[in-house]
Amino acid sequence: MTPSTPPFSDEHEELRRSIRGLIERELAPYAQQWEEDRWFPDECFAKLAAQGLLGLKYPESYGGQGGDYLHEAVLCEEMARTGSGGTAAGLGAHINIATPPIWKFGTEEQKQRYLVPAIRGEKIGALGITEPGAGSDVAAIATSAERVDGGWVLNGEKTYITNGVRAHFIVTAVKTRKTTPPARHHDISFLIVDRGEGVSSSALHKLGWHASDTATISFQDVFVPEENLLGELNDGFKLIMANFQWERLAMALGAVGAMALAWERTAEFARQRHTFGRPLSGHQAIRHKLADLATSVYTCRCVTYDALRRFVAGEEPLKEVTMAKLLTQRACFQLMDDCLQIHGGAGYMREYFIERAARDARLGPIGGGSDEIMREILGRVLGL
Ligand SMILES: Cc1cc2nc3c(=O)[nH]c(=O)nc-3n(C[C@H](O)[C@H](O)[C@H](O)COP(=O)(O)OP(=O)(O)OC[C@H]3O[C@@H](n4cnc5c(N)ncnc54)[C@H](O)[C@@H]3O)c2cc1C
């Protein structure tokens, strides 16, 4: 067994081994097919659930494993071994962004109705914040919830939503108050919206993550009952902020996992492929490039693990998590491009994993808060 690196212990390395086994058996062999299909099967949720992987950090009383964020961190890093950014993203959105707000802010009844079946893989979740007119500027969302007898009526549109076609429920940010001037951060609430009458999805075509269903979701006069309000009325911004640190750490961990895998496979390719009478790795330029890339993987891992260690220790490591997100997403895309280059023409071909990995990695600097937004946060934290 690989020796553990803090903040992980031997117990986490044992978990890593079992997750990697499952992924290599149940997911990775089908990655290429699912990319072609533009869809990974819903049964993947059940397969992960059967091993307890949809609820690692959730209490046993809800069907979880009673673990913590460190156990989940192992999963985030290992999911990259699926070799399909889309599959990892769909499963990851359910685990890392859709269910955590219900766990943290949900009523007991909401937890029974959504979290418990989500941990069992029976209900699939999505998080709906982004809209055609509001991405980075979250407070500018326009989807409105009008108060009616017994609940709300929802109208509006969300876009770029992961699991947006398959999700049974959408944890949705809405405007619940109209003030002049707009209250911006203090007029947002969250509703758990069941797929049903008035909810329609259309899948989007994209550069990477082909196996995932990224979609636009329209809400047309959708009635949402009172009991589906998640958290406090008009205090939804708190809910958004509450999970951002974990979402960004999860993305950093995913990037580290993807980088390590791409490096391993590219180094192997460089040992096998011969030009001018020697393996590619026998050429100094390639050898040095691989050395630089290994250094990049190591640097990204150290920065990410440091942020993770602080996060699980209960610090509020806004600076470290933001830096980890910023560093790893761009470094991951750069590494994929360099690995693709080492593959030569093969790197441009569908049958080589690196073609997909390079496309998949392009999302990192955009999603979960773009590079520019990370720099804005750092500007504030650094007192600039
Ligand atoms: C594949 C995919 C999956 C996604 N999944 C989800 C999901 O599940 N749920 C969800 O809610 N959202 C999801 N998103 C949305 C994602 O979070 C947004 O795309 C992202 O936050 C950026 O918002 P935007 O696309 O509206 O870009 P904009 O906010 O319009 O920004 C455009 C560009 O301008 C830059 N910019 C914006 N403001 C500033 C500023 N103040 N200073 C400098 N530069 C600035 C941005 O960094 C970006 O480069 C997903 C997106 C993609 C592509």
Side-chain angles (χ1 to χ4, degrees):
M1 195 167 73
T2 326
S4 58
T5 309
F8 297 111
S9 65
D10 288 351
E11 178 213 342
H12 298 112
E13 292 317 312
E14 186 63 45
L15 175 68
R16 188 184 299 282
R17 222 157 45 94
S18 102
I19 292 176
R20 192 173 291 191
L22 176 87
I23 289 173
E24 287 176 353
R25 257 188 342 269
E26 303 281 356
L27 304 180
Y30 312 102
Q32 177 71 22
Q33 185 58 50
W34 296 340
E35 291 287 311
E36 304 289 339
D37 295 347
R38 298 285 196 274
W39 185 266
F40 71 91
D42 284 355
E43 296 87 75
C44 293
F45 289 90
K47 281 191 175 150
L48 261 61
Q51 301 300 314
L53 300 183
L54 297 187
L56 282 172
K57 65 180 177 301
Y58 296 135
E60 288 172 41
S61 51
Y62 297 114
Q65 297 300 301
D68 58 26
Y69 279 107
L70 277 185
H71 297 98
E72 197 94 303
V74 174
L75 178 65
C76 292
E77 202 177 328
E78 290 305 312
M79 280 303 281
R81 303 239 156 214
T82 304
S84 157
T87 304
L91 295 164
H94 177 80
I95 298 168
N96 294 313
I97 60 176
T99 52
I102 301 177
W103 172 44
K104 278 194 199 140
F105 295 92
T107 61
E108 185 53 34
E109 188 269 336
Q110 287 169 344
K111 287 177 187 164
Q112 293 300 334
R113 206 149 41 97
Y114 295 102
L115 186 60
V116 169
I119 291 172
R120 283 206 295 257
E122 292 164 5
K123 274 189 180 175
I124 299 168
L127 178 71
I129 298 178
T130 307
E131 300 185 358
S136 307
D137 185 6
V138 174
I141 61 162
T143 295
S144 70
E146 300 287 340
R147 191 100 217 194
V148 294
D149 223 18
W152 285 269
V153 170
L154 204 62
N155 279 288
E157 194 169 74
K158 297 289 173 184
T159 196
Y160 310 146
I161 306 305
T162 306
N163 292 339
V165 173
R166 72 179 84 216
H168 299 102
F169 65 89
I170 306 130
V171 176
T172 310
V174 295
K175 287 271 172 173
T176 31
R177 188 156 66 170
K178 282 196 190 109
T179 52
T180 323
R184 282 183 55 89
H185 299 95
H186 304 290
D187 55 9
I188 296 174
S189 304
F190 269 84
L191 297 175
I192 309 175
V193 182
D194 288 306
R195 190 171 292 284
E197 208 180 326
V199 180
S200 57
S201 297
S202 53
L204 297 162
H205 298 284
K206 50 198 189 294
L207 175 71
W209 285 19
H210 284 174
S212 74
D213 49 313
T214 309
T216 294
I217 307 179
S218 297
F219 304 107
Q220 228 177 356
D221 293 327
V222 179
F223 175 74
V224 181
E226 187 91 55
E227 60 269 23
N228 280 29
L229 173 71
L230 182 62
E232 299 284 317
L233 188 65
N234 297 319
D235 207 17
F237 207 73
K238 190 168 90 189
L239 190 145
I240 295 176
M241 290 299 135
N243 198 48
F244 259 159
Q245 297 309 301
W246 175 246
E247 178 181 357
R248 289 170 185 164
L249 263 177
M251 287 183 73
L253 287 157
V256 167
M259 291 169 80
L261 180 67
W263 190 90
E264 284 164 26
R265 292 202 180 170
T266 304
E268 186 54 27
F269 179 89
R271 286 186 200 104
Q272 301 299 328
R273 174 82 178 165
H274 283 66
T275 64
F276 302 96
R278 62 176 73 163
L280 281 179
S281 54
H283 298 289
Q284 194 182 50
I286 303 284
R287 200 163 59 241
H288 285 192
K289 175 57 79 181
L290 283 165
D292 285 348
L293 296 178
T295 308
S296 177
V297 178
Y298 180 69
T299 312
C300 287
R301 177 169 277 137
C302 288
V303 170
T304 300
Y305 281 13
D306 177 63
L308 176 66
R309 182 181 58 72
R310 292 170 188 275
F311 180 81
V312 295
E315 293 178 29
E316 285 185 17
L318 177 62
K319 183 177 76 179
E320 289 80 2
V321 170
T322 307
M323 285 179 170
K325 160 71 166 77
L326 178 62
L327 172 75
T328 55
Q329 305 307 301
R330 187 53 70 174
C332 180
F333 181 60
Q334 185 61 53
L335 176 138
M336 295 305 174
D337 188 41
D338 288 337
C339 288
L340 190 151
Q341 186 69 17
I342 291 172
H343 280 74
Y348 205 67
M349 299 297 139
R350 274 280 149 94
E351 68 212 77
Y352 281 83
F353 94 102
I354 194 67
E355 178 266 351
R356 181 166 70 236
R359 286 185 290 103
D360 286 349
R362 188 61 188 86
L363 190 271
I366 299 170
S370 65
D371 281 2
E372 290 74 20
I373 297 305
M374 293 306 103
R375 292 191 180 97
E376 280 297 289
I377 295 170
L378 287 173
R380 277 200 301 279
V381 174
L382 298 171
L384 300 173

